[in-house]
Amino acid sequence: MYRLRNWLISDNGVSEEDMLQNGNRLMTGNGYLGYRGTVSEAEPSWMPAVIVSGLYDRQGDLWREPVNAPDCLYAKLFVRDEPLMASGENVLSHEQTLDFRYGIYSRETSWTVDGVSVTLHAERITDICNVHRLCMKYAISADAPVTITLKQGINCAVHDLNGPHLGNFRLDKDEKNGLLVLDADTLEKAVPLSVACTVDVAGDVVCGTEVSGEGAFHVYTIKADKDKRFDFFVYGAVYSGADTAEDCGVKARETALSSLAEGWESILSGHRKKWDEIWLKGDVIIEGDDYAQHALRYSLYHLHSIAPRHAKSLSVPARGLSGQTYKGAVFWDTEMFISPYFLCTEPDLVARFIRYRIHTLPGAKRKASEYGYRGAFYAWESQESGDDACSLFNVTDVFTGRPVRTYFRDKQIHISADIVHAIRTYINVTGDTEILKEGAMEVILECARFFLSYLYYSPEHDRYELLDVTGPDEYHERVNNNAFTNRIVFSVFETVQTCVDLLKKQDGGFIEKLFAELSFDTDMAFMHEVMKKFYLPQPDSGNVIEQFDHYFKLEDCSLDTVKSRLCDPREYWGGANGVAGNTQIIKQADVVLMLVLFGNEYSDEIKRANLAYYEPRTEHGSSLSNCMYAQLSCASGNSEWAYPFFIKTAEIDITGTSKQFAGGIYIGGTHPAANGGAWMTAVQGFCGFSMNDGKISCKPRLPEKWKRVVFSVVYNGEHIEVTVTKDGYSLCMK
Ligand code: BGC
């Protein structure tokens, strides 16, 4: 059972289910590597993983997914050939803890063997200073004489959802330095990956090596006794050809050896210092509500542990670096749910996300042309090239095991508009127009062009419409005029206009040249025509906006009724035969999301009417949903109603109770979008914070319990501390 205390989360569970949950709950990461919170002797079925960001591979015709590197912090104890496992029957006590202020994982386990108790205390970090580095302190003690064997080294028997992904293994040992190095290549594109580790041990131990199909290990024989402790310091390194042009093997060797020379204490101290700096800019203090405080900080920790500070152009997958679910792909989650926090605290990171979309523009253009459109249709599930990893059959039927046709890939056209929205917001908040010249303007124009070629002119209504789309609510596929999609696509056209005007003022030559290169003049003229007659669904007489054409005609039944129709709890609710499809039950915030994003255009009455209508009809089957209902409720004056939705969002990776399956497909892992949603609700929702066109403002509407909220934002390049109480707010330079 987990316990949450000040900056600490612990769990003493030992079942297979606990091991899986703690893998997410206690994970550490640095934006490059994600190390799951499993014990160092983990069985593959407990899903240990060292996920390398930006490195993907495909095995046969299975789904492409991120590569799980061999584990260089692997360690397993034995007494007389019997392994000491966290799940063993001879366990006296076991606890794993994550210090989420400093990203330090620790575990303490005691076993009894023939009346002797053996204790292991281990700590490890995924170094946030040198992102290629993994370090562990591993301390063994006993209360009476006993001979213990420790097998430590590089374990290749990794868990993969759709693997294996590595081959051509080459092992190198350097006995003098106690160094083990494993070089391998990915199977699909032969990208090199190297893992190295070395050990510093204090105490009298005998060491040998063991090389097998499972990996390369040091084997230590330890004569343990009362009052004797054996400390092992393991220094590991991971490099891949996706992140360096240099020789990965050489880099991994050098890093492991230089870490050995530097030593655990110094590395740990640098790591802590960097986390202190991160929290200086990124912390949010909530006074009066300890649970909300811990849950929000824990959410922010997860965002920082996947923030790609090391790369100029990289984004974050929908399940962070917590595993291979969702193919390690980047979704709209980054732009709409994760970017807002970083935009206010570390805008450089958002520039990296935007550059990732600039670099994957060719993939988006290929996708548009594959479907017969012009411009850029971004991948619904994007990997390193921008080609869509989303399959046409993205869910498995739980009854037949057969693939189910889904239209996420073909019809969630809003993805291209979400990206433009994020670019526009970035420019609005930071004033940095250089990014437009780096390629973001081309992204905007190509996305606009895609929508211009996708839209449909209805002669009956004399208006432009968007037909056959899927909105954020994936349970209703292939609908016409999804209100959210229409509004956000319209904002793409508005963005083209705004950015063109801006650039013309600054540097007319640039935009002229770009228009000529892309032959955009005709598109621009057509866009102006379209804007005059573009259909934006409006509220009805009861102030409710219909989610898409004829939505109100679908069966209007309760969520419980729809649930009662399920024959299997893991059934997929959408698709051709899903229980929600012919009803008004929706998966996640859709109209509500539109009202949050374009809040200035709608009255409080409209916001309240839509909340009241859609909330009882929402399953919140996506982790992206609750935070939007919470924000709209705050914006329309009801923070108390918003509070439980905030808590559900902020505690999602603490409780681990979110959906684990979509049809037959495993979707567990961490939830960065919800982590970002927790910040949005606390800061933009409860504090009513906004930063638009160079102006900061707050409209406090704190929940009853909250006395004061303090957070930081970057404003004109300066760090400003914002303090919000129930009665007002103040700003102070940091
Ligand atoms: C949601 C999408 C989301 C994806 C990844 C799905 O369940 O419906 O909106 O982008 O998960 O988080």
Side-chain angles (χ1 to χ4, degrees):
M1 185 60 201
Y2 67 84
R3 274 189 309 143
L4 182 65
R5 291 159 285 156
N6 203 9
W7 293 105
L8 295 175
I9 184 162
S10 313
D11 193 281
N12 57 7
V14 293
S15 70
E16 184 143 338
E17 178 58 23
D18 295 321
M19 299 296 178
L20 288 181
Q21 291 278 3
N22 287 331
N24 301 317
R25 192 179 280 136
L26 308 177
M27 74 165 289
T28 54
N30 56 24
Y32 173 62
L33 297 174
Y35 197 107
R36 282 176 62 80
T38 44
V39 290
S40 42
E41 70 274 17
E43 299 284 357
S45 64
W46 302 353
M47 289 195 191
V50 185
I51 297 293
V52 185
S53 73
L55 181 66
Y56 297 88
D57 182 69
R58 180 171 203 168
Q59 163 70 257
D61 59 0
L62 300 174
W63 286 353
R64 282 190 103 235
E65 63 184 11
V67 172
N68 189 3
D71 180 8
C72 55
L73 299 187
Y74 177 83
K76 195 169 184 174
L77 297 172
F78 297 80
V79 173
R80 276 187 281 95
D81 290 339
E82 280 304 311
L84 301 183
M85 303 293 289
S87 57
E89 282 175 5
N90 55 349
V91 168
L92 293 171
S93 63
H94 170 71
E95 187 158 77
Q96 286 169 272
T97 300
L98 173 74
D99 170 345
F100 54 89
R101 180 175 170 97
Y102 291 114
I104 302 172
Y105 163 96
S106 62
R107 64 86 67 99
E108 182 151 320
T109 310
S110 292
W111 295 267
T112 177
V113 193
D114 298 339
V116 179
S117 87
V118 175
T119 299
L120 163 67
H121 178 88
E123 280 175 41
R124 68 173 180 243
I125 58 168
T126 307
D127 189 10
I128 197 113
C129 299
N130 179 343
V131 295
H132 295 276
R133 190 145 80 171
L134 292 160
C135 304
M136 173 171 78
K137 176 178 173 182
Y138 195 86
I140 304 159
S141 56
D143 66 354
V146 59
T147 303
I148 303 170
T149 305
L150 164 64
K151 181 174 168 185
Q152 194 291 315
I154 305 174
N155 184 29
C156 299
V158 299
H159 164 87
D160 276 313
L161 287 179
N162 295 291
H165 295 297
L166 295 169
N168 190 19
F169 288 103
R170 283 100 60 207
L171 179 72
D172 189 20
K173 284 187 295 181
D174 174 352
E175 310 267 346
K176 193 170 120 249
N177 293 304
L179 187 71
L180 297 170
V181 187
L182 192 82
D183 299 302
D185 296 321
T186 60
L187 300 183
E188 183 193 16
K189 295 186 179 171
V191 181
L193 176 81
S194 294
V195 178
C197 82
T198 178
V199 180
D200 184 12
V201 51
D204 189 12
V205 295
V206 179
C207 178
T209 42
E210 183 188 306
V211 177
S212 69
E214 292 200 342
F217 307 91
H218 290 121
V219 180
Y220 299 94
T221 307
I222 303 157
K223 299 270 183 221
D225 201 347
K226 197 163 168 273
D227 302 329
K228 265 169 110 179
R229 207 178 85 173
F230 296 82
D231 287 347
F232 292 79
F233 297 93
V234 184
Y235 304 99
V238 181
Y239 281 83
S240 100
D243 46 81
T244 179
E246 292 178 62
D247 184 316
C248 297
V250 171
K251 296 296 292 177
R253 275 175 188 79
E254 281 171 6
T255 302
L257 290 176
S258 63
S259 304
L260 176 73
E262 183 178 350
W264 166 259
E265 288 304 332
S266 162
I267 293 171
L268 186 64
S269 139
H271 173 80
R272 293 171 82 103
K273 205 160 144 244
K274 178 74 184 169
W275 273 103
D276 277 334
E277 285 165 21
I278 287 172
W279 289 115
L280 206 60
K281 297 182 214 158
D283 194 16
V284 178
I285 298 169
I286 301 173
E287 281 178 17
D289 186 348
D290 286 350
Y291 186 66
Q293 169 73 88
H294 301 331
L296 179 57
R297 280 181 167 156
Y298 179 73
S299 301
L300 301 179
Y301 160 78
H302 275 292
L303 290 179
H304 287 293
S305 64
I306 56 171
R309 296 187 177 84
H310 63 286
K312 233 186 137 211
S313 152
L314 195 64
S315 195
V316 291
R319 288 289 185 264
L321 300 175
S322 66
Q324 293 161 321
T325 36
Y326 279 135
K327 311 177 191 98
V330 178
F331 290 62
W332 68 317
D333 304 33
T334 301
E335 280 75 16
M336 307 302 272
F337 295 81
I338 298 165
S339 290
Y341 168 59
F342 287 130
L343 184 55
C344 289
T345 54
E346 272 184 75
D348 272 5
L349 282 167
V350 180
R352 286 154 213 251
F353 301 156
I354 295 175
R355 282 190 210 107
Y356 166 78
R357 295 301 191 177
I358 295 172
H359 291 146
T360 49
L361 179 63
K365 285 164 82 173
R366 281 193 292 275
K367 178 172 167 187
S369 98
E370 174 196 332
Y371 282 103
Y373 299 107
R374 300 185 307 126
F377 182 8
Y378 273 90
W380 181 242
E381 299 184 1
S382 185
Q383 298 177 334
E384 78 279 40
S385 70
D387 290 297
D388 210 327
C390 186
S391 73
L392 298 180
F393 298 85
N394 225 33
V395 171
T396 306
D397 180 69
V398 285
F399 304 109
T400 60
R402 292 186 192 132
V404 175
R405 177 67 163 106
T406 49
Y407 290 88
F408 314 141
R409 183 193 202 270
D410 331 39
K411 299 294 170 190
Q412 269 194 84
I413 59 166
H414 67 83
I415 176 70
S416 287
D418 305 330
I419 290 164
V420 172
H421 173 84
I423 299 173
R424 175 193 173 115
T425 317
Y426 171 82
I427 292 166
N428 186 314
V429 168
T430 61
D432 168 18
T433 50
E434 278 310 299
I435 198 100
L436 289 173
K437 296 189 192 161
E438 272 186 59
M441 191 66 223
E442 190 173 338
V443 168
I444 296 171
L445 296 180
E446 293 293 2
C447 288
R449 177 178 269 167
F450 164 64
F451 291 118
L452 290 173
S453 78
Y454 194 95
L455 48 73
Y456 163 81
Y457 175 71
S458 159
E460 288 77 21
H461 296 102
D462 184 25
R463 68 186 186 199
Y464 290 95
E465 303 186 344
L466 290 169
L467 306 183
D468 199 8
V469 305
T470 302
D473 161 30
E474 294 179 340
Y475 291 164
H476 296 94
E477 296 179 320
R478 311 197 66 169
V479 301
N480 294 339
N481 292 314
N482 168 255
F484 165 84
T485 305
N486 285 25
R487 181 62 193 90
I488 199 155
V489 167
F490 189 69
S491 106
V492 171
F493 303 146
E494 294 172 318
T495 306
V496 169
Q497 195 55 64
T498 316
C499 292
V500 165
D501 291 349
L502 200 68
L503 286 175
K504 268 190 184 155
K505 263 192 230 146
Q506 287 181 357
D507 177 1
F510 170 79
I511 197 75
E512 241 172 62
K513 195 163 158 261
L514 189 63
F515 265 51
E517 268 168 30
L518 303 181
S519 310
F520 202 78
D521 285 320
T522 328
D523 292 289
M524 190 73 170
F526 179 48
M527 189 189 90
H528 284 140
E529 258 329 284
V530 168
M531 285 178 84
K532 287 185 214 146
K533 294 184 177 178
F534 194 75
Y535 175 47
L536 296 174
Q538 296 302 311
D540 66 7
S541 55
N543 276 335
V544 180
I545 299 168
E546 191 171 29
Q547 187 174 295
F548 51 81
D549 291 353
H550 307 309
Y551 166 83
F552 288 146
K553 294 206 174 80
L554 296 174
E555 182 189 349
D556 193 12
C557 57
S558 72
L559 191 58
D560 283 343
T561 305
V562 166
K563 274 191 193 154
S564 72
R565 293 174 184 165
L566 290 171
C567 302
D568 182 308
R570 297 193 313 178
E571 232 181 280
Y572 180 58
W573 291 32
N577 296 319
V579 284
N582 61 334
T583 76
Q584 291 190 31
I585 296 302
I586 63 173
K587 180 178 182 187
Q588 65 199 87
D590 197 309
V591 170
V592 164
L593 169 58
M594 178 186 80
L595 295 174
V596 171
L597 292 181
F598 301 97
N600 295 341
E601 298 166 17
Y602 298 94
S603 67
D604 284 358
E605 286 72 45
I606 294 178
K607 289 176 188 163
R608 282 196 282 265
N610 283 280
L611 263 184
Y613 191 85
Y614 283 107
E615 203 290 318
R617 292 169 177 80
T618 307
E619 185 216 0
H620 301 293
S622 155
S623 61
L624 280 52
S625 193
N626 284 302
C627 65
M628 289 300 159
Y629 282 82
Q631 285 179 78
L632 193 65
S633 181
C634 289
S636 53
N638 193 347
S639 342
E640 291 313 316
W641 191 88
Y643 185 78
F645 291 89
F646 163 73
I647 291 293
K648 273 190 210 147
T649 302
E651 68 179 14
I652 190 163
D653 291 327
I654 296 172
T655 61
T657 49
S658 66
K659 249 191 207 173
Q660 301 291 301
F661 283 91
I665 309 281
Y666 177 64
I667 55 167
T670 56
H671 299 83
N675 302 151
W679 179 88
M680 284 195 267
T681 308
V683 171
Q684 300 180 344
F686 294 134
C687 298
F689 170 81
S690 69
M691 188 154 54
N692 273 324
D693 298 324
K695 271 188 257 126
I696 290 188
S697 80
C698 290
K699 281 192 202 138
R701 35 218 178 190
L702 303 186
E704 184 62 29
K705 284 201 249 176
W706 294 20
K707 295 197 176 73
R708 214 163 70 106
V709 181
V710 186
F711 56 92
S712 289
V713 295
V714 177
Y715 175 70
N716 282 342
E718 304 285 346
H719 280 272
I720 311 275
E721 190 172 84
V722 187
T723 303
V724 181
T725 62
K726 289 206 169 58
D727 310 320
Y729 70 98
S730 60
L731 307 177
C732 155
M733 293 277 274
K734 268 188 121 171

